[in-house]
Every structure is written in C-alpha cells, then in structure tokens.
Amino acid sequence: MVLIFAESTNGKFKKAAFEAVSYGYRVAQAMGSECAALVLGDAAEASQLGNYGASKVYRIGDASLRHFDSQVYTAAIAGAVEKLGASVVILSHSSTGKSLLGRLAVKLNAGSVAGASALPTIGDEFKVRKNVFSGKAVAEYVISSPIKLISLMGNAVAPEATGGTAEVAALEVALPASRITVKEVKTIEGTVPLPEAELVVSAGRGLKGPENWQIIEDLADTIGATTACSRPVADSDWRPHHEHVGQTGVAIRPNLYIAIGISGAIQHLAGVNRSKVIVVINKDPEAPFFKAADYGICADLFDVVPRLTDAIKKFKAANN
Amino acid sequence: MKLLVCISKTPDTTSRIAFTNDNTTFDSNGVQYILNPYDSWYALVRALELKEQLGGSVTIVNVGPSSNDAIIRKGLAIGADNAVRIDADPKSALYVAHQIAEFAKAENFDIVFLGKETIDYNGSEVGAMLAEYLDTPYISYATQMDVEGTTATISREIEGGTEVIEVALPLTVSCAKGMAEQRIPNMRGIMMAKRKPLKVVPPAESADLSTVSTYELPAEKSSVKMLDPENMDELVRLLHEEAKVL
Ligand SMILES: Cc1cc2nc3c(=O)[nH]c(=O)nc-3n(C[C@H](O)[C@H](O)[C@H](O)COP(=O)(O)OP(=O)(O)OC[C@H]3O[C@@H](n4cnc5c(N)ncnc54)[C@H](O)[C@@H]3O)c2cc1C
Ligand SMILES: Nc1ncnc2c1ncn2[C@@H]1O[C@H](COP(=O)(O)O)[C@@H](O)[C@H]1O
C-alpha cells in the first residue's frame, strides 16, 4: 500500500497535500496497489482527499497532534505504516515533511529521497529523481529497503481531481508525550506564502530604494502574486527578511517568476532557477539573469513595470 | 554546556558541475570546496556565542576522508575547541547520521547543531535522522535560539510564518539565516587552529538504503526571447498563450 501523510493546518489542507495525494495515487497505480491518506489532528475536510485519488483516509485524532512535534508525529506515522503494512510512504517536502522524513527513515529502517521532482521508475529497482547542486543537476536514487520514503518537492506535480470519494476511518496509535511546547505561531496574513506561491514578482537593488516598491506591489496585486526580493534588498531592510530568495534565503519553484532590477547572481539563481517560466526586466543587456530567462525585456523598469501592470489589467478585463 | 556542531564540505555555489564514470560520479576536478554556509555561518557561530555566554565547549564533527582536514581546520579557526573526523566516505544522509550518532551517543552533548541543509544535495535529512538516533526533540529551520538553564527558546521558520517553541535540553537543532552573524577567522584564530585537537575515528558498521545511481545535467534552457519594451501586451499574450501561466 502507498500511504500519504496529508499535511493540514487547523484542519485545512494546503496545496502540497493534494499534490502528495495525486503523486501517491499515480505511484499506487504503477505498483498495482492501493493508495490511502493519513491525516493527523483536526481535519474536517479529510474526505476531500478522495477526490485526488485516496481510496481511504485514516485519521489519528489525538489532541496532542494539534501542535507539531516531530517525535510525536513520527510515532503516529510509523505506527500507521506498521498497522496498515504500507510499503511506500509519501510526505510533502515542507518544513514539516523535512522534519519527519529523516526520523521516519531511522525508525522504519527505510531508504529515503528528500525532495523528489518526478514520479518513481518502478522495475527491478525503485528509482526516484531529485534536483541536486541547487538545481544544476538531477540525481537518480535507488531505494533498496522494503519500505520506501519520499518527500515530494512542491510544484513538481499538479494535483489532479479524480472525482473519487474516500471513507474516513479512525486509527488508534500509541503516542509518546511531547517534550516541546509551542508558545506561539505567527503567520503572515494576506498573501500566499512564498514556498507555495505559483506566481512571484521579485525585485532587486535596481529599485533604488524602499520608497519605490509601490509599482512592484501593484504588479503583484494585479496578477495575485506573492512578492520576493534579492538578498541585498533584505539586508538593507528595504523589504522584510522572509521575502529574501536564493541560496541563503527561501528556495522557490513557482510557475511564473518575474525578476525586476535583479542582476541574476548565481546565488540568487540557485533559489529560483527551478521556476517554470522566468521573465527578466533589466536595463543592462549584459545582466546574467537574461541567460536564465524565458522572456526578457531590456529597458528601464520604472517605465516598463507600470506598463506591464496596465497590460495585465486590460487583459483581465477582456477575459472576464 | 557541551555543544556539538555537524559540519560538512560542499562545492562552492559558483563551481562548474560535471560528472564522470558514465555520469555516476561527481567530477571534483577543479572544484573549490567550502564549509557548508549554514553550518559555518549560523550553526557554528551560534554554538560559539552560547559557549561564550554560558561556558562549556564546542566540538565540530565531520564524516569524510582525510582531504577534509583543511576544511575542518577552518571550523577550528572560527573558534571551535576541538574536532572529530569520522574517517569514511559520506555515502548517504542515513550513513552520515548513523556515524555521527555512534560517536555522539557516548558523549552526552546538551545541544547538537546542524545547518538547515547542505547546498550540494539539498536534502535537509541528516538532522532529523540524528535526532531520531539520539532520541531527542528536533527543531528544524531555527532562526533564533536562547538558552536559560536547561530550557531553550527557539523561533523556527514554517511556511508563511514562524513558530516559537520551548524545549528542554538535550536537543538537536538545524540552523537557518537569523541565528547568528557570520564570523571571519582572524590570523590568531588560524594560527591557534593548527594546534587544536583533530581526532580521527574509524567508522561504525552501517548499511546504505538509498544511493545515487546516476546524475544528469538539466537540458539547456532554450535561449531567451527578447521582447519590445513598448509592447507589454505581447508579453501578456505570450504568458497566457505560449507559457500558459497567466
Ligand atoms: C555566499 C553568498 C550567498 C548569497 N546568497 C544570496 C541569496 O540567497 N539571494 C540573493 O539574491 N543574493 C545572494 N547573494 C548575493 C548575490 O551574489 C548578489 O550580490 C545579489 O543577488 C545582487 O542583488 P541584486 O541583483 O538585487 O543587485 P545588483 O547586483 O546590484 O543588481 C541590480 C540590477 O538592477 C539593474 N537595474 C538598475 N537600475 C535599473 C532600472 N532603472 N531599470 C532596470 N534595471 C535596473 C542593474 O542592471 C542590475 O542588473 C549571495 C552572495 C554570497 C557571496
Ligand atoms: N558529511 C557530514 N559530516 C558532518 N555533518 C554533516 C555531513 N553532511 C551533512 N552534515 C550536517 O547535516 C546538515 C544537513 O545536511 P543534509 O541532510 O545533507 O542537507 C548539514 O548542514 C550539516 O550540519
């Protein structure tokens, strides 16, 4: 059986959970096996997972699972794997998934691939691909243990509705007492968090100063994008630190990345070069970012960005 | 306070990436190696700051061959008191974590620090594995950490926010930006590092459950389409019809 840990926050699933279930469904099909999802804590919408291919949803509802503790979650997932006899376990490659994958590997004595970028190849060997060297190469791993563990990179597969339904069943697993106390959870309201954003508008030192960000925010608001920035911009406190993308900041892979007034240093590219489509706006024709771009506009950003925003507004009005 | 920092060696980001032996082996020819930035900038420096504040010692550990010694000495030059190298090829995350656990078990460290990930394999796996072997809580992606008595208060990054956690020692923590400011070793540090102890220990018996079989370079990006800055409608059309992202 393929078991997917479907992450939820306050009972709600994120896109990553649907991606993981869709991925697990296809793995199960390739293996001629069943696909079940596991939900921990509150999850009023658990049956939704049926629509992405889960034939059954198991839920461990202990109140202690309301807060994330990698030790307690590991015990819950490992307990479910053993009870259900799962041979492939899939997590999201999120802050939660990354804290669990390694623990589960040790606990279940299972080989793991962190951040898979494609479906496994299943034959004599079980092979899984992932990006390595900050996206500059792809490595194919062979997992040789009876239980196989995968965390799925965000935006690597699109969630696909199957129209199926799933029954939700309670599961009992003995859990250890938590040794941590979560004092506070602060969320940034409003926009989609960067690691999950499908559309990102990012700006660099070419903006000259924090007072000029209005044109960036207007563009982002118009397409419903999340804003990001280069490191020097965050370091100078022009923008909040959580917007910093790149090797030392957040690594993202949105469908669309619009880079404005960013030169395209290799450390910046390391965090964004897995974006599906890259648009670069820069006045320097020699800017290295153009080499990594799909579409380039060589012009003064202060002219071009408002014009792009207007063009999108016009397009939206015509298509509504 | 007995502190351990796990440090790894990675190719500098600007290195050319290539493979040999039928794409089964990373080609280290001409590659410039560095201490993994998360390990040296954040994990090691925060450990040193806590030692300065609370007393104790900072040990660094690396799983790797003798050619790693120069990089390990850099960690000593930044300020670690002593180093341990487990003399083995770091074949996989599980292998590395098992080796470090076998060494650390007997030492009873109060806090084990790691970087949030290595910039070569980008796995973020070793920390969670080590925490499981050592049976400690694991706090990943820490951006701030204070210790008072036997309790640590840690902020960690989560998707779209932060979480503040209180946890009793011993614990395992992986470090991200915000934990500390990078320290550049000075001349005195570099001289002293030459005399600090670097112990080499043999590896423990350990199995490999997940290994790289082949590497591949991604397909070259087809060249950029340069567009007329006067005609943004054209860009919108391409993003909608050709790229299908709008
Ligand atoms: C170890 C290490 C790690 C690093 N990690 C990161 C990281 O994670 N993320 C990151 O971003 N950087 C990182 N850096 C820094 C990186 O090397 C670059 O210095 C940085 O990305 C440059 O930021 P920028 O492109 O905003 O600024 P610049 O390099 O100054 O580029 C500004 C660009 O704006 C263009 N421009 C100026 N005015 C206009 C205008 N009016 N219209 C149009 N275009 C204009 C210019 O042509 C130029 O290309 C790291 C560096 C090191 C050494
Ligand atoms: N060979 C190694 N020796 C010691 N520590 C390591 C080694 N490889 C990785 N680590 C530690 O584990 C962290 C996470 O690595 P990874 O799981 O490869 O992303 C790194 O930031 C280091 O702190």
Side-chain angles (χ1 to χ4, degrees):
Chain A
M1 177 208 268
V2 177
L3 185 68
I4 299 110
F5 166 47
E7 258 179 56
S8 53
T9 332
N10 302 327
K12 280 208 172 343
F13 295 110
K14 297 193 173 168
K15 185 175 138 230
F18 299 129
E19 289 177 354
V21 175
S22 270
Y23 181 91
Y25 174 64
R26 283 182 251 173
V27 176
Q29 276 187 318
M31 294 174 35
S33 153
E34 201 199 340
C35 161
L38 176 69
V39 177
L40 302 183
D42 303 330
E45 307 165 348
S47 62
Q48 277 183 358
L49 299 174
N51 190 32
Y52 295 92
S55 57
K56 190 134 192 197
V57 179
Y58 293 95
R59 172 168 174 257
I60 306 176
D62 286 61
S64 66
L65 295 166
R66 235 168 251 162
H67 279 306
F68 177 66
D69 175 347
S70 64
Q71 267 183 311
V72 181
Y73 270 51
T74 295
I77 300 172
V81 168
E82 279 156 11
K83 272 204 164 154
L84 302 171
S87 60
V88 178
V89 183
I90 293 161
L91 317 174
S92 303
H93 197 59
S94 59
S95 61
T96 299
K98 288 182 218 175
S99 308
L100 295 172
L101 190 76
R103 291 204 96 117
L104 285 167
V106 171
K107 189 148 189 130
L108 297 168
N109 198 26
S112 57
V113 172
S117 59
L119 282 167
T121 319
I122 305 168
D124 292 343
E125 291 179 312
F126 191 98
K127 296 179 176 173
V128 190
R129 293 157 69 84
K130 66 170 271 190
N131 291 306
V132 290
F133 299 104
S134 306
K136 288 193 277 183
V138 176
E140 186 166 70
Y141 285 74
V142 173
I143 306 183
S144 53
S145 49
I147 298 179
K148 295 156 177 80
L149 275 171
I150 298 173
S151 65
L152 175 65
M153 188 61 94
N155 264 351
V157 299
E160 241 173 74
T162 58
T165 52
E167 180 195 325
V168 182
L171 198 66
E172 298 279 335
V173 170
L175 300 178
S178 175
R179 289 189 246 170
I180 74 171
T181 318
V182 177
K183 305 293 279 184
E184 200 182 344
V185 180
K186 293 179 246 181
T187 46
I188 303 149
E189 296 299 330
T191 52
V192 185
L194 264 181
E196 288 169 29
E198 293 189 7
L199 306 171
V200 175
V201 173
S202 185
R205 220 150 43 182
L207 266 282
K208 307 278 187 285
E211 65 282 4
N212 293 328
W213 242 262
Q214 194 58 45
I215 54 169
I216 301 301
E217 293 190 346
D218 286 346
L219 174 58
D221 286 346
T222 306
I223 55 176
T226 301
T227 47
C229 69
S230 66
R231 182 167 103 165
V233 163
D235 283 351
S236 327
D237 285 327
W238 294 1
R239 298 297 293 175
H241 276 278
H242 64 80
E243 284 199 359
H244 159 195
V245 290
Q247 181 198 307
T248 43
V250 187
I252 55 173
R253 44 184 303 158
N255 285 334
L256 174 63
Y257 185 74
I258 305 183
I260 301 165
I262 301 175
S263 55
I266 191 138
Q267 297 90 354
H268 183 87
L269 294 180
V272 305
N273 60 5
R274 279 156 283 179
S275 307
K276 219 167 261 168
V277 175
I278 297 179
V279 175
V280 168
I281 300 175
N282 197 303
K283 69 174 180 191
D284 173 10
E286 301 297 320
F289 219 145
F290 283 124
K291 290 204 182 69
D294 299 280
Y295 303 105
I297 296 132
C298 184
D300 189 324
L301 69 93
F302 294 101
D303 289 340
V304 164
V305 173
R307 230 179 299 135
L308 174 57
T309 305
D310 287 344
I312 292 168
K313 282 187 181 150
K314 205 168 80 190
F315 165 80
K316 292 225 149 164
N319 282 270
N320 267 333
Chain B
M1 192 87 7
K2 222 174 141 180
L3 308 172
L4 179 69
V5 183
C6 305
I7 59 163
S8 52
K9 182 181 102 168
T10 56
D12 184 51
T13 334
T14 50
S15 304
R16 187 186 68 102
I17 302 298
F19 304 98
T20 57
N21 290 338
D22 242 0
N23 281 337
T24 57
T25 316
F26 176 66
D27 182 1
S28 56
N29 241 322
V31 169
Q32 172 86 34
Y33 283 98
I34 56 169
L35 268 172
N36 188 42
Y38 300 108
D39 311 353
S40 61
W41 299 358
Y42 307 132
L44 177 55
V45 177
R46 191 62 195 135
L48 293 171
E49 289 170 354
L50 285 174
K51 174 197 141 178
E52 286 154 11
Q53 184 196 335
L54 306 164
S57 64
V58 175
T59 301
I60 51 179
V61 64
N62 172 258
V63 179
S66 59
S67 54
N68 282 12
D69 285 352
I71 286 280
I72 297 172
R73 294 270 174 216
K74 280 192 186 153
L76 292 171
I78 294 172
D81 298 298
N82 60 306
V84 172
R85 181 170 60 77
I86 301 167
D87 192 20
D89 200 25
K91 282 178 271 204
S92 69
L94 195 63
Y95 183 87
V96 167
H98 185 240
Q99 297 304 333
I100 297 175
E102 287 299 306
F103 154 73
K105 256 178 195 160
E107 299 275 334
N108 294 315
F109 290 103
D110 295 296
I111 308 174
V112 178
F113 293 82
L114 300 98
K116 75 165 188 185
E117 66 175 24
T118 47
I119 62 169
D120 46 7
Y121 290 92
N122 310 106
S124 219
E125 286 191 279
V126 174
M129 291 168 169
L130 190 51
E132 186 66 19
Y133 278 125
L134 298 176
D135 188 26
T136 72
Y138 175 55
I139 313 297
S140 63
Y141 287 62
T143 55
Q144 249 176 351
M145 167 168 173
D146 290 299
V147 178
E148 232 187 279
T150 55
T151 308
T153 306
I154 301 175
S155 299
R156 73 181 277 260
E157 273 171 28
I158 54 172
E159 280 73 19
T162 48
E163 212 172 58
V164 183
I165 286 161
E166 227 171 64
V167 52
L169 308 186
L171 79 103
T172 305
V173 60
S174 89
C175 306
K177 183 178 165 178
M179 272 297 252
E181 291 291 331
Q182 184 181 4
R183 284 188 188 178
I184 312 289
N186 57 22
M187 210 48 205
R188 184 156 168 274
I190 296 167
M191 294 310 293
M192 278 170 56
K194 291 188 179 145
R195 289 191 304 268
K196 287 180 179 171
L198 193 173
K199 194 165 101 188
V200 179
V201 300
E205 199 58 46
S206 181
D208 250 333
L209 305 175
S210 159
T211 45
V212 176
S213 58
T214 52
Y215 294 95
E216 218 176 89
L217 294 173
E220 285 277 328
K221 207 153 188 159
S222 55
S223 63
V224 52
K225 246 186 214 170
M226 294 304 289
L227 305 173
D228 176 7
E230 300 301 323
N231 189 355
M232 282 301 101
D233 292 334
E234 177 62 3
L235 174 61
V236 175
R237 189 190 68 79
L238 288 168
L239 291 177
H240 177 63
E241 288 176 11
E242 188 178 77
K244 299 193 167 59
V245 290
L246 273 190

